[in-house]
Amino acid sequence: MHARAVAATTTAVLGTALLFPGGARAADDTGLPVVVAHRGASAYAPENTLAAVDRAAALGIRWVENDVQRTRDGALVVIHDDSLQRTTDAEQVFPDRAPWKVKDFTAAEIARLDAGSWFGPAYAGARVPTLQQYLRRVEHNHQKLLLEIKNPELYPGIEQQTLKLLGNEGWLDSRHLASRLIVQSFSAGSVRTVHQLKPGVRTGFLGTPATADLSRYAAFTDSINPSHGSLSGGWVSAVHSLSGPHGRPLRVFAWTVDDAARARTVAGYGVDGVITNKPDVVRKALGGS
Ligand code: G3P
Ligand code: CA
């Protein structure tokens, strides 16, 4: 290795050790925990919209997280709640369609909705993106995607459908599989299905299983992604002691941390990534630039 590269690497490692004596892990080429923009940079732009993806990109954030669900006519769309009510104007546009479930609306109906005004007038007219539109924007921005399959029990076959779209859009080639895509879910069954259908895809289980149960998850998931409030250094070490289906130590991405002090605390537990609505705040707290 070139002497300057050695020096830079040494500085990065020592710097990380000093910042996080509990043992922050090098999860990206910075040597710091990866910062993931939760639903995009959702503190600054309406969650799960293309504007939130772009805002993350403008901040220099490589990883974005989203939530994928399905319309009545079978289109995959990016939205968090199973209802359109909170983040769109569905209640005004379709007053007789309570409770405005995503699964009860067609893609064309959802495309009419304003998914930005609830957040602020500057975002009036933002749309609920289809997953195809979303993937293309993330690709355009040279970003990476932590894709959450949301409420899979409502959408039979959504794992296969999501993988098919990812493949059609070029997201299952070796470059994306190696470093640009993780598929996660709160449903262990859904994560297992993704692993079985496409073993090359890196996966994540959302939750904090008991340490005694972790080895069962290691059969089908590459990371275990807990709520930050449920974390301890011992639990993170227990996760790291196991190898996932790709023969590498399981990783830990903690959510949702918007506070600088808390970000430093969870980094000190040794997490590999921090999922946040305020990626600039967390990046700064962790010593990134
Ligand atoms: O990525 C973790 C986080 O998104 C899980 O919770 O409810 O924000 O989807 P939620
Ligand atoms: Ca999510």
Side-chain angles (χ1 to χ4, degrees), residues 38-39 65-67 80 148 150 184 186 206:
H38 181 239
R39 310 181 196 173
E65 188 262 6
N66 74 0
D67 303 284
H80 178 270
E148 181 182 343
K150 183 60 90 185
Q184 66 173 358
F186 282 103
L206 283 161

Side-chain angles (χ1 to χ4, degrees), residues 39-49 51-53 55 118-119 123:
R39 310 181 196 173
S42 59
Y44 312 124
E47 64 183 58
N48 279 324
T49 63
V53 170
R55 190 60 184 265
W118 71 273
F119 188 86
Y123 294 99

Side-chain angles (χ1 to χ4, degrees), residues 58-72:
L59 292 169
I61 299 298
R62 301 294 304 279
W63 278 93
V64 292
E65 188 262 6
N66 74 0
D67 303 284
V68 174
Q69 303 194 66
R70 191 164 70 200
T71 66
R72 192 176 87 193

Side-chain angles (χ1 to χ4, degrees), residues 255-272:
W255 48 273
T256 301
V257 180
D258 291 346
D259 174 79
R262 186 64 187 159
R264 284 190 287 269
T265 298
V266 299
Y269 293 152
V271 302
D272 305 273

Side-chain angles (χ1 to χ4, degrees), residues 82-259:
D82 67 358
S83 164
L84 298 158
Q85 197 173 8
R86 179 177 62 88
T87 58
T88 78
D89 59 351
E91 206 171 339
Q92 286 75 53
V93 178
F94 301 105
D96 303 328
R97 301 274 294 275
W100 301 284
K101 296 289 185 186
V102 174
K103 68 180 178 53
D104 294 334
F105 286 75
T106 66
E109 287 171 338
I110 291 176
R112 290 174 52 194
L113 300 176
D114 180 341
S117 289
W118 71 273
F119 188 86
Y123 294 99
R127 299 296 164 194
V128 174
T130 64
L131 180 57
Q132 183 185 56
Q133 291 167 336
Y134 191 98
L135 291 172
R136 290 179 179 183
R137 184 63 64 94
V138 172
E139 182 69 32
H140 173 81
N141 291 346
H142 306 291
Q143 290 168 298
K144 307 181 184 200
L145 178 59
L146 176 57
L147 183 158
E148 181 182 343
I149 298 179
K150 183 60 90 185
N151 304 318
E153 66 282 0
L154 298 178
Y155 312 109
I158 192 171
E159 298 85 5
Q160 184 150 30
Q161 187 181 0
T162 300
L163 290 167
K164 186 164 190 312
L165 181 59
L166 284 166
N168 290 347
E169 293 296 317
W171 276 77
L172 297 184
D173 65 9
S174 57
R175 202 166 46 89
H176 286 79
L177 290 181
S179 64
R180 292 189 55 191
L181 175 68
I182 300 172
V183 177
Q184 66 173 358
S185 182
F186 282 103
S187 162
S190 192
V191 179
R192 191 188 291 107
T193 298
V194 169
H195 174 67
Q196 288 171 346
L197 289 171
K198 287 282 178 195
V201 173
R202 288 186 297 162
T203 57
F205 171 68
L206 283 161
T208 317
T211 50
D213 296 330
L214 289 172
S215 60
R216 291 196 288 114
Y217 291 85
F220 59 86
T221 193
D222 299 279
S223 58
I224 300 197
N225 302 339
S227 166
H228 74 90
S230 62
L231 266 185
S232 69
W235 186 85
V236 174
S237 297
V239 175
H240 284 159
S241 72
L242 296 165
S243 287
H246 297 103
R248 299 172 65 96
L250 292 186
R251 303 207 296 172
V252 176
F253 290 73
W255 48 273
T256 301
V257 180
D258 291 346
D259 174 79

